[in-house]
Amino acid sequence: METFVEYGHAVASVVAFTLVVLFMAPLTALAKQGKGLAPGATPEQDYSDKAYRMNRAYLNGTETLPAFLAVTFAAILMGANPFWVNLLASIALVARLVMLFVHIRGIGSPNSGLRSVLYVGGWACMFVLGIMALVAAF
């Protein structure tokens, strides 16, 4: 277990991201309920609609969380360099949190804006974590 202590920031990043997604679930449900939508319904695709942005941000988090969890823990279990695993997982988390804020507030354009840049930044960190896990495995 002492080995995992070295990866404290990475583990905390996964837990924080998970908690954010869990927190978003009821907030998204309330936003959709406020529009009179049935449970599980998707708001009309209108970026100016806060309920749509909340739902999209929540769904994006639920889509990304498994990949983040998989590559982060694979890198940890394979013994990849703790400094880089912690740094990349932390950067990915910060990118996701800022992206969430940008997305919910409707800052920028829906395509190729700041939100997209933040998404790609987090994606790149996760990709590198995956490569590190594979390299460490062999």
Side-chain angles (χ1 to χ4, degrees):
M1 288 300 192
E2 290 180 28
T3 303
F4 297 115
V5 172
E6 296 180 61
Y7 297 99
H9 286 274
V11 172
S13 294
V14 170
V15 172
F17 187 18
T18 302
L19 292 174
V20 167
V21 170
L22 290 173
F23 184 72
M24 286 290 300
L27 294 179
T28 301
L30 289 172
K32 293 192 301 184
Q33 182 182 20
K35 294 190 66 66
L37 296 171
T42 302
E44 190 173 324
Q45 294 181 6
D46 177 5
Y47 196 69
S48 66
D49 180 8
K50 185 171 183 170
Y52 169 73
R53 292 191 315 270
M54 288 277 296
N55 187 60
R56 194 56 224 135
Y58 169 69
L59 292 176
N60 190 270
T62 62
E63 294 162 355
T64 305
L65 181 57
F68 183 53
L69 180 107
V71 296
T72 301
F73 280 107
I76 291 170
L77 292 172
M78 289 297 103
N81 184 304
F83 172 80
W84 289 108
V85 172
N86 286 326
L87 181 66
L88 290 168
S90 296
I91 291 171
L93 173 65
V94 169
R96 296 296 309 182
L97 293 176
V98 175
M99 187 186 102
L100 180 67
F101 176 79
V102 167
H103 201 49
I104 290 172
R105 301 290 295 173
I107 298 170
S109 67
N111 298 311
S112 302
L114 178 58
R115 184 177 58 82
S116 297
V117 170
L118 292 164
Y119 178 86
V120 170
W123 174 91
C125 289
M126 290 185 284
F127 188 83
V128 172
L129 281 166
I131 296 297
M132 288 174 57
L134 286 173
V135 168
F138 299 103

